[in-house]
Amino acid sequence: MTGFHLDGENHWVAELECGHRQHVRHEPPWMERPWVLTEEGRRSRLGIELDCRRCDEVGHAVAEAVREALAAAARQAYEDAGLSGLCAEGRWELALDALRSTGLTSAIHRALARPH
Ligand SMILES: [Zn+2]
């Protein structure tokens, strides 16, 4: 957490190092965060890490996109190698090569461009 501000409804919002923001409400008995109510309490939390839900979602989306791109590339290489008459070992080798050489940049960009 790098800072705090109030939103339009007077709820405290933590500003995170990653650039995202996350509500840090004090709503007893569901959510106990008495520290958020005082300037001193908030200052004492600066620098403390808060898991960012949005970064988690983005991370999962990117991981999923990378997995799909690699699986598709490996499957394609395996099929192509089969069509050109390679044995199982040769097909496996080409599938591995595809995993190593497939560009992932566009899949990652597409995943990041989707709304989260
Ligand atoms: Zn984040």
Side-chain angles (χ1 to χ4, degrees), residues 44-67:
S44 76
R45 298 296 167 124
L46 290 176
I48 290 179
E49 258 186 55
L50 186 70
D51 283 338
C52 178
R53 283 193 289 269
R54 294 199 51 206
C55 277
D56 282 353
E57 287 166 17
V58 171
H60 286 141
V62 168
E64 196 53 39
V66 166
R67 245 194 301 274

Side-chain angles (χ1 to χ4, degrees), residues 33-44:
R33 286 197 188 102
W35 56 266
V36 81
L37 301 179
T38 66
E39 172 75 42
E40 195 189 353
R42 291 189 298 278
R43 204 178 317 120
S44 76

